[in-house]
Amino acid sequence: MKFVSLLGATGSIGKQTLDVIASHPEQFRLSSMSVGKNIDAAEEIIREFKPEICAVQNESDAQVLRSQVETSTKIVSGMEGLIEAAVSTESSVVVNSVIGSVGLLPTLKAIEANKTIALANKETLVTAGHLVMEKAKKHNVDILPVDSEHSAIYQCLNGEDRNRVEKLILTASGGSFRDRTRDELKNVTVKDALNHPNWSMGAKITIDSATMMNKGLEVIEAHWLFSFDYSKIDVILHKESIIHSMVEFVDTSVIAHLGQPDMRVPIQYALTHPERLELVNGKRLNLWEAGKLHFQKMDYDRFRCLKLAFEAGNIGGLMPTVLNAANEKAVELFLDGKISFLDIEEMIERAMLQAENMNQPELDAIQETDKRTRYFVESLLNKGR
Ligand SMILES: NC(=O)C1=CN([C@@H]2O[C@H](COP(=O)(O)OP(=O)(O)OC[C@H]3O[C@@H](n4cnc5c(N)ncnc54)[C@H](OP(=O)(O)O)[C@@H]3O)[C@@H](O)[C@H]2O)C=CC1
Ligand SMILES: CC(=O)[C@@H](O)[C@H](O)COP(=O)(O)O
Ligand SMILES: [Mn+2]
């Protein structure tokens, strides 16, 4: 029996993780969880899974939840509560599926508590990859990727000599606007942007996918997870999302990971690694049904966010923190209807241009930069960009 702590239980990855846990009750048990603001969903999860601890974002919601549900589950709140959910039970693995850099501290604390990390929360690695990987090494803790591309690469690299790798090749669906020109992006709506062709995901990552920042964040995530230089990481457009990513070797061989676009696969693999379990109600991949698979060279002028992410990764230091925080804030403003779609990349670029950098930043500097960058992006709203 594996005891699981699940951060972000009410989200897209969180719910699919609960599906995996419920589908193999003899293998998994939920020992703690966190939610943000959706306390109605939290109540249902508590009733079904009876975790020891549930963390909610705000104390006022925690009080409501305590009064609503008669349970032995301890309801905690705030960042302290989120960390308690990550470290305080006997779980051996923490699935981190919160959205944004708020996931960084609980990840670091869970590593200190020697928990395996099943990481969906890519912003954590983008904003402070060196701190996370250093700590994981020090505590001999595995960081297992949940992100579909990274789970694919992890599996393609299995048993291979890293020195014989030519390139990691991340596939990108192209997102909601893959067939539109830059000119056609000027007036797109939030509703259009949220309509991803292949994956049903939370709002923020769906917008990231439409701007191609998702792939940019994934490039930085791959750099930290697999320790490859950015010159060895490539991105290719593949609109069907059947090939989840590939690894090319020095002898020109390419190993690819294929499957239906179903996040329960990488979630479950991260929980069972190095073993595999049947995926309950999993749809098998029949390539004759999938039909033709398409590939296209990436156009970095069309998808400027991807270019900015490569730049931030190559510059290093605090620049990926700035990229990530500016993106989080700009996406929030777009979702709130305050800026246009193309303003997202413009704001990120401006945040990067004004940023002061430093090498090997400590946690304090990262947190301060994250905060300052968000203020900067917000201030652009009032400056008549
Ligand atoms: N969805 C997907 O298929 C994939 C997602 N990922 C990554 O996984 C992560 C989660 O994505 P996804 O599940 O789509 O996101 P969702 O928006 O669907 O879920 C986010 C979760 O985080 C909680 N949350 C939000 N803000 C806070 C906060 N300030 N403090 C604590 N908890 C918070 C939400 O709580 P509540 O709803 O209760 O407010 C919810 O449980 C992201 O980093 C994403 O990039 C990676 C690959 C695929
Ligand atoms: C399911 C998953 O891992 C997402 O990150 C997905 O990759 C988004 O698709 P694109 O960013 O390729 O559109
Ligand atoms: Mn992905």
Side-chain angles (χ1 to χ4, degrees):
M1 178 68 76
K2 188 169 261 180
F3 290 83
V4 179
S5 293
L6 173 58
L7 309 183
T10 41
S12 159
I13 294 289
K15 285 188 233 164
Q16 292 177 86
T17 305
L18 292 171
D19 271 358
V20 168
I21 292 174
S23 68
H24 289 289
E26 73 295 350
Q27 299 279 342
F28 306 121
R29 182 132 194 243
L30 185 71
S31 60
S32 59
M33 63 183 265
S34 86
V35 307
K37 295 185 172 155
N38 190 347
I39 55 168
D40 290 339
E43 187 179 335
E44 276 180 38
I45 301 168
I46 290 171
R47 284 190 204 287
E48 182 177 348
F49 291 88
K50 304 182 175 51
E52 285 169 50
I53 298 175
C54 171
V56 299
Q57 199 174 330
N58 301 317
E59 177 52 27
S60 52
D61 284 334
Q63 284 171 12
V64 174
L65 193 55
R66 282 182 205 114
S67 69
Q68 268 175 10
V69 53
E70 266 182 36
T71 169
S72 57
T73 300
K74 181 180 175 196
I75 315 277
V76 293
S77 66
M79 180 49 78
E80 245 175 64
L82 191 57
I83 292 170
E84 193 172 340
V87 305
S88 293
T89 65
E90 290 304 304
S91 65
S92 58
V93 56
V94 174
V95 178
N96 184 347
S97 63
V98 299
I99 191 94
S101 59
V102 70
L104 173 60
L105 264 186
T107 304
L108 293 173
K109 295 293 181 191
I111 295 171
E112 283 169 17
N114 287 100
K115 314 263 187 195
T116 297
I117 310 293
L119 192 67
N121 176 234
K122 63 192 86 178
E123 294 90 348
T124 277
L125 278 182
V126 175
T127 201
H130 63 295
L131 296 185
V132 174
M133 297 316 288
E134 256 168 46
K135 203 172 269 287
K137 194 170 170 198
K138 182 173 164 199
H139 290 267
N140 199 20
V141 153
D142 284 332
I143 311 278
L144 297 171
V146 168
D147 209 345
S148 62
E149 295 76 3
H150 305 75
S151 176
I153 290 172
Y154 191 84
Q155 293 173 64
C156 294
L157 286 172
N158 192 14
E160 299 290 345
D161 179 351
R162 307 294 166 107
N163 296 315
R164 305 284 92 193
V165 170
E166 183 70 22
K167 253 185 185 147
L168 307 182
I169 306 168
L170 299 176
T171 49
S173 77
S176 323
F177 302 134
R178 67 181 171 212
D179 299 320
R180 299 203 196 191
T181 62
R182 271 190 78 78
D183 216 40
E184 288 168 338
L185 293 178
K186 279 184 189 148
N187 298 315
V188 292
T189 66
V190 171
K191 192 169 166 231
D192 294 335
L194 286 175
N195 189 19
H196 195 284
N198 306 340
W199 300 94
S200 165
M201 310 183 285
K204 192 260 178 184
I205 184 178
T206 306
I207 303 302
D208 285 347
S209 167
T211 60
M212 201 56 79
M213 181 55 92
N214 184 46
K215 219 45 59 180
L217 302 179
E218 290 182 350
V219 164
I220 300 174
E221 184 185 11
H223 164 78
W224 288 115
L225 279 174
F226 306 115
S227 268
F228 284 106
D229 191 79
Y230 288 99
S231 60
K232 289 202 160 209
I233 305 176
D234 213 349
V235 177
I236 185 174
L237 269 171
H238 164 50
K239 67 179 182 183
E240 289 84 8
S241 300
I242 293 289
I243 295 187
H244 297 307
S245 278
M246 302 174 251
V247 178
E248 183 185 330
F249 294 88
V250 287
D251 65 355
T252 74
S253 302
V254 177
I255 300 185
H257 176 281
L258 285 73
Q260 296 284 0
D262 182 342
M263 280 309 293
R264 291 175 310 149
V265 179
I267 292 168
Q268 182 171 290
Y269 186 69
L271 290 176
T272 60
H273 170 80
E275 282 156 32
R276 292 182 191 270
L277 273 181
E278 182 200 345
L279 186 75
V280 175
N281 296 323
K283 189 168 177 241
R284 297 213 167 266
L285 176 64
N286 294 317
L287 280 173
W288 63 90
E289 277 172 13
K292 278 192 184 158
L293 300 183
H294 296 81
F295 304 94
Q296 223 178 303
K297 197 167 160 37
M298 183 54 69
D299 176 349
Y300 288 89
D301 294 323
R302 159 72 176 73
F303 294 111
R304 268 173 59 199
C305 281
L306 181 56
K307 199 173 178 178
L308 291 174
F310 266 106
E311 276 171 28
N314 274 309
I315 294 168
L318 283 167
M319 205 51 86
T321 309
V322 172
L323 175 96
N324 180 66
N327 181 56
E328 284 193 36
K329 189 70 207 179
V331 171
E332 185 187 314
L333 294 174
F334 174 68
L335 285 169
D336 288 347
K338 293 187 176 150
I339 62 170
S340 75
F341 184 73
L342 287 178
D343 284 339
I344 298 174
E345 61 187 32
E346 162 133 17
M347 284 176 149
I348 298 165
E349 192 162 10
R350 290 184 67 169
M352 284 171 67
L353 281 171
Q354 60 82 50
E356 283 171 30
N357 207 355
M358 74 165 67
N359 285 330
Q360 294 292 320
E362 297 292 338
L363 184 58
D364 283 358
I366 286 167
Q367 288 175 319
E368 182 56 32
T369 300
D370 182 294
K371 208 173 0 159
R372 248 200 272 150
T373 305
R374 287 168 203 257
Y375 281 132
F376 174 79
V377 170
E378 181 109 53
S379 76
L380 290 176
L381 264 187
N382 312 320
K383 285 189 184 150
R385 286 156 290 120

